[in-house]
Amino acid sequence: MAKIIDGKALAMRIRETVKKRVAEAKAMGIVPGLAVVLVGDDPASRVYVNTKKKTCHELGIYSEEHTYDNSVTQKELLEKIAQLNADPKISGILVQLPLPKHLNADQIIEAIDPRKDVDGFHPVNVGKLVLGLPGFLPCTPAGVMELIHETGTTIAGKECVVVGRSNIVGKPQAMLLLREHGTVTVCHSRTQNLAEVVRRADILVVAVGKPGMITGDMIKPGAVVIDVGINRLPDGRLVGDVDFDSAVKVASAITPVPGGVGPMTIAMLMHNTLEAARNLV
Ligand code: NDP
């Protein structure tokens, strides 16, 4: 039976450290501040934004929310971003994705000052990640790296398989694993013989958005399995992309859903917001 990696507990430890460092920064007159921009009424996005604001409050980070209905224009949002870029109270700007189809999300993200891009999605920060230069790391993949480290597994030389190649999870995840000298394979919807490729993984990260698509028989015995997927079933249950019950019998360590990657994403966002405030001084 695999060890269950407790993302909630690790996230709490990171949050405690951030909280302490926020207090120290404040004593030096540096107050971290996060601005969250939310468009539309997607219930999942609403929940994420509320959790981010609540966590800021708990850690002593100033936060503000800018909410728009679906009729907001590209121009209005770009003006808001420009305002937030210039606002000394704000050290981190986060635009909650996905944005409605009529908006150009790439252009909005590019408008964020890269020094305030705490999500790590701006092309400047993506480029820095690829080049191995210091910059903001996207929160979810950075959280996954912490979870892998928590297991005590060495990444160098290991077969690492990432399923999913989105700009916010799969691609940066692959770069982070490569940076730590993993031998990295990235799978996507056109991958042939997915099970065969996945079975090679000593370290498997799955970020697809399909409930239970990776089953125990696809996992190499002893692999470390990180499940990024968050899927709500018709009965209301939240499940990952990995079929937990079969995978837990084969893996050496596995993250649960909920309680695995999710809490880590928020902890890393808080870390990035504090770093942004310190860097802006
Ligand atoms: P996207 O929809 O942007 O990307 C999904 C990826 O999965 C794509 O690259 C797609 O391939 C690939 N894919 C789809 N079907 C298959 C298949 N049958 N076999 C192999 N690959 C496939 O999703 P995200 O990366 O944004 O999110 C993935 C999951 O992670 C979601 O459940 C999301 O809710 C969750 N998530 C969780 C977070 C957390 O904090 N825990 C944060 C962010 C996301 P292709 O590129 O070819 O289309």
Side-chain angles (χ1 to χ4, degrees):
M1 273 303 220
K3 174 183 179 287
I4 316 280
I5 312 166
D6 189 344
K8 226 168 152 180
L10 179 56
M12 277 316 290
R13 294 211 298 279
I14 293 172
R15 283 166 55 154
E16 280 311 311
T17 308
V18 172
K19 189 175 175 178
K20 231 187 279 159
R21 294 184 59 220
V22 167
E24 286 163 13
K26 279 178 160 175
M28 296 189 301
I30 304 166
V31 183
L34 178 69
V36 182
V37 177
L38 173 64
V39 182
D41 49 11
D42 175 50
S45 293
R46 178 78 262 166
V47 171
Y48 293 141
V49 167
N50 286 349
T51 311
K52 286 165 188 172
K53 274 169 31 193
K54 184 168 159 266
T55 312
C56 279
H57 183 71
E58 284 165 11
L59 271 51
I61 294 174
Y62 168 75
S63 77
E64 52 186 55
E65 181 186 325
H66 301 272
T67 311
Y68 297 89
D69 61 32
N70 273 318
S71 64
V72 69
T73 63
Q74 184 80 6
K75 186 164 169 279
E76 279 172 291
L77 278 184
L78 289 172
E79 277 166 12
K80 176 49 71 181
I81 300 288
Q83 232 178 59
L84 295 170
N85 281 341
D87 188 340
K89 289 197 305 303
I90 298 303
S91 35
I93 303 170
L94 179 155
V95 177
Q96 186 66 42
L97 299 177
L99 286 174
K101 290 272 180 290
H102 72 279
L103 297 168
N104 179 344
D106 290 339
Q107 192 191 35
I108 289 164
I109 287 165
E110 278 182 43
I112 298 173
D113 182 337
R115 296 170 307 163
K116 295 190 175 188
D117 167 42
V118 285
D119 253 343
F121 295 162
H122 190 286
V124 164
N125 286 314
V126 176
K128 285 182 170 174
L129 167 61
V130 175
L131 295 171
L133 299 172
F136 290 115
L137 300 180
C139 303
T140 300
V144 168
M145 296 308 285
E146 296 292 329
L147 289 163
I148 297 170
H149 294 149
E150 181 72 1
T151 65
T153 307
T154 317
I155 296 170
K158 295 278 166 62
E159 288 283 348
C160 304
V161 174
V162 179
V163 189
R165 57 169 166 181
S166 69
N167 290 338
I168 65 169
V169 191
K171 277 186 209 160
Q173 192 67 66
M175 290 314 306
L176 285 173
L177 289 162
L178 185 60
R179 198 156 101 164
E180 296 199 22
H181 316 294
T183 302
V184 183
T185 306
V186 183
C187 300
H188 46 78
S189 65
R190 316 268 181 103
T191 298
Q192 290 180 8
N193 303 322
L194 181 72
E196 211 173 280
V197 181
V198 165
R199 213 170 282 124
R200 290 209 301 260
D202 301 306
I203 297 169
L204 175 65
V205 182
V206 189
V208 173
K210 295 211 159 108
M213 71 169 288
I214 303 292
T215 46
D217 59 316
M218 296 165 78
I219 292 170
K220 179 176 177 177
V224 170
V225 178
I226 310 289
D227 189 355
V228 180
I230 303 178
N231 309 288
R232 192 166 292 279
L233 297 181
D235 66 8
R237 270 187 309 141
L238 272 189
V239 296
D241 292 342
V242 176
D243 174 48
F244 187 85
D245 292 344
S246 59
V248 74
K249 296 189 184 114
V250 191
S252 64
I254 186 168
T255 54
V257 178
V261 177
M264 289 300 293
T265 298
I266 303 219
M268 301 317 287
L269 173 67
M270 297 298 121
H271 167 84
N272 281 355
T273 305
L274 167 65
E275 288 309 309
R278 291 166 55 100
N279 295 343
L280 281 165
V281 177

